[in-house]
Amino acid sequence: MDSILVKGGAELRGEIPIAGAKNACLALMPATLLSDEPLTLTNAPRLSDIRTMTQLLQSLGAEVSALQDGRVLALSSHDLTSHVADYDIVRKMRASILVLGPLVARYGHAVVSLPGGCAIGARPVDLHLKGLEALGAELDLREGYVHAKAPGGLKGAVVDFPFVSVGATENVLMAAVLARGTTVLKNAAREPEIVDLAACLSKMGARIDGAGTGTITIEGVDRLTGATHPVVTDRIELGTYMIAPAVAGGEVECIGGRLDLVSAFAERLDAAGVSVEETPRGLKVARRNGRIRAVDVETAPFPGFPTDLQAQMMALLCTADGTSVLEERIFENRFMHAPELQRMGAKIAVHGGTATVTGVERLKGAPVMATDLRASVSLILAGLAAEGETVVNRVYHLDRGYERVEEKLGACGASIERISG
Ligand code: EPZ
């Protein structure tokens, strides 16, 4: 398995292009199942998770071609041959559950493997299932699979989510666009990925109102058409690269970055002593003079501080002046990076969902590894400022969500290379 070698100490200067959002693209791709006309997604990220979703859709009989070096995905579902999402694919990637809503909405039946546990928490899919049941789907759980039927088609309903779930909002939204009548999603997720999905579905002819707010209203239509849609900028990749010059020093312009996608995060960076400036091409980020200041962070659904940037923020705060408290409110087990950062000399105490980080002057390079994507990239960020060499092992996780991380950081002067193994 490949690893990444980082030699710490170099300031970063330059620009980093931000890709299309992995998590938006993973929800947009299954939208092809809702129509027999072609769906074209531009600004797609080139990531292993996107290839996994491609495989899953192809296993159902959809055509998916990666064009222009993977930047454009051409999808078509005019001739599906299967309605079964197999465990072998679903277990690799939880977002596979997003085919359930579209399949049952358009074909009236689907068999989708339940995703298992996950490194960052139990992550059940009960809200997805309850939402689809509210629309009239009959669900039966057998041998690890959800067997879904809606012989007479789905019917609009009020779905009031007990708490905010990005995936459940996406799944039920996709099902509702082809349901008869009106669906109201209450306590819906407001993430930019939801807004992007709704925008694409609307181009396909769906009637959706309120995406980006807590209440989304959908008037079902009989059929959807094809569309071409650019995937929204990846706010988590953006936030990750905004931390890079904050950790290492220097100034980086994140091309395509938008402040509205990361406002709560940028506010915390500002409080820590990092300047974030809007430019015609994106966001320019620089560490102000002096040491990073300690700040407290609490993750929350959008527009709050994203859980997917908590690990990277912790890497930054390891060398801050003072003590920071990070509260993880979305996932129950999302501090796996803490023991690895401790191996680099960080002072972190974890109690349940709270991590207390007491800044040290400097981290020291070490061999480290992580069991999820954001934890892995946080170790690379920590390595940028650490004394000596850091080797991040098991970068398979990294490749799920960051394209060419070593090239993007290397182009700004970081000493970083991939070691094939
Ligand atoms: C999405 O996961 C993202 N994944 C995650 O990104 C992100 O961390 C998460 O949203 C929160 O922002 C994709 O978009 C593919 P949730 P999702 O449903 O939809 C609980 C990354 O690093 N829950 O909003 O699965 C759940 O366990 C990844 O890119 C239920 O209890 O997240 C969690 O505690 C990791 N029952 C909370 O809700 C359900 O049916 C929020 O999860 C659904 C969720």
Side-chain angles (χ1 to χ4, degrees):
M1 235 178 265
D2 291 2
S3 51
I4 300 268
L5 168 66
V6 188
K7 290 184 191 146
E11 285 206 340
L12 303 185
R13 281 189 197 282
E15 51 184 59
I16 297 182
I18 306 301
K22 167 182 81 90
N23 289 344
C25 198
L26 289 176
L28 290 163
M29 291 171 75
T32 180
L33 300 170
L34 291 164
S35 167
D36 58 6
E37 293 183 25
L39 172 65
T40 305
L41 300 174
T42 60
N43 195 35
R46 294 169 294 186
L47 301 168
S48 62
D49 270 8
I50 301 301
R51 289 190 287 276
T52 304
M53 183 57 86
T54 298
Q55 258 180 14
L56 173 59
L57 294 172
Q58 286 172 337
S59 77
L60 301 173
E63 289 168 24
V64 185
S65 321
L67 311 173
Q68 296 182 23
D69 201 19
R71 283 271 168 255
V72 173
L73 296 173
L75 305 105
S76 166
S77 300
H78 64 273
D79 233 357
L80 286 203
T81 50
S82 160
H83 305 107
V84 182
D86 202 75
Y87 175 63
D88 274 346
I89 302 183
V90 177
R91 73 185 163 83
K92 287 194 213 159
M93 192 182 68
R94 303 181 54 79
S96 306
I97 192 76
L98 294 176
V99 301
L100 179 59
L103 279 179
V104 76
R106 178 147 164 241
Y107 298 96
H109 60 277
V111 180
V112 177
S113 171
L114 282 167
C118 165
I120 60 178
R123 300 184 76 185
V125 290
D126 54 318
L127 300 187
H128 300 235
L129 305 186
K130 283 192 187 121
L132 294 173
E133 274 179 333
L135 299 188
E138 294 162 19
L139 306 182
D140 187 16
L141 305 189
R142 272 183 275 137
E143 289 144 8
Y145 282 78
V146 186
H147 295 251
K149 276 193 298 196
L154 296 176
K155 253 181 79 190
V158 176
V159 179
D160 195 352
F161 293 109
F163 54 90
V164 173
S165 161
V166 176
T169 302
E170 291 166 343
N171 226 340
V172 183
L173 171 63
M174 284 194 275
V177 296
L178 288 183
R180 274 196 321 281
T182 308
T183 298
V184 182
L185 305 184
K186 293 189 174 172
N187 203 18
R190 292 182 279 166
E191 270 65 4
E193 293 74 24
I194 305 284
V195 176
D196 203 38
L197 175 62
C200 177
L201 293 170
S202 299
K203 283 182 199 164
M204 294 168 76
R207 294 174 58 197
I208 302 169
D209 191 43
T213 74
T215 305
I216 305 178
T217 306
I218 304 121
E219 296 292 338
V221 295
D222 289 341
R223 60 181 295 277
L224 295 186
T225 62
T228 296
H229 181 77
V231 180
V232 67
T233 298
D234 194 322
R235 65 197 166 96
I236 307 301
E237 191 197 31
L238 169 62
T240 301
Y241 289 123
M242 288 169 74
I243 290 201
V247 170
E251 183 177 275
V252 167
E253 187 172 10
C254 296
I255 308 301
R258 279 169 37 193
L259 202 51
D260 62 312
L261 296 176
V262 287
S263 50
F265 165 74
E267 183 279 317
R268 291 287 75 195
L269 276 190
D270 179 64
V274 179
S275 87
V276 178
E277 185 198 325
E278 290 184 273
T279 67
R281 300 171 71 210
L283 296 178
K284 195 175 272 183
V285 184
R287 187 163 83 196
R288 295 196 201 102
N289 290 337
R291 205 167 149 194
I292 290 294
R293 288 192 294 273
V295 292
D296 295 340
V297 169
E298 192 178 314
T299 65
F302 193 86
F305 190 103
T307 173
D308 292 345
L309 286 171
Q310 176 261 110
Q312 301 89 315
M313 191 71 178
M314 185 187 285
L316 173 67
L317 295 173
C318 284
T319 53
D321 187 8
T323 298
S324 310
V325 178
L326 288 91
E327 308 248 14
E328 173 54 56
R329 301 266 191 212
I330 307 291
F331 292 110
E332 63 268 33
N333 184 27
R334 212 175 193 185
F335 285 135
M336 288 91 60
H337 39 286
E340 299 297 307
L341 290 166
Q342 282 167 334
R343 300 188 62 252
M344 300 175 70
K347 285 198 184 147
I348 306 167
V350 175
H351 294 289
T354 305
T356 307
V357 182
T358 306
V360 296
E361 285 276 344
R362 195 132 195 227
L363 295 178
K364 295 199 170 59
V368 286
M369 69 176 178
T371 45
D372 95 285
L373 164 62
R374 310 302 172 187
S376 301
V377 84
S378 77
L379 299 173
I380 292 184
L381 291 172
L384 291 176
E387 203 177 303
E389 290 187 358
T390 298
V391 179
V392 183
N393 292 299
R394 278 210 196 167
V395 294
Y396 135 82
H397 292 291
L398 196 72
D399 295 334
R400 293 184 60 171
Y402 291 92
E403 56 173 55
R404 302 181 295 114
V405 71
E406 63 281 13
E407 282 174 40
K408 290 190 179 187
L409 288 170
C412 293
S415 171
I416 178 168
E417 62 181 292
R418 179 178 289 255
I419 302 167
S420 304

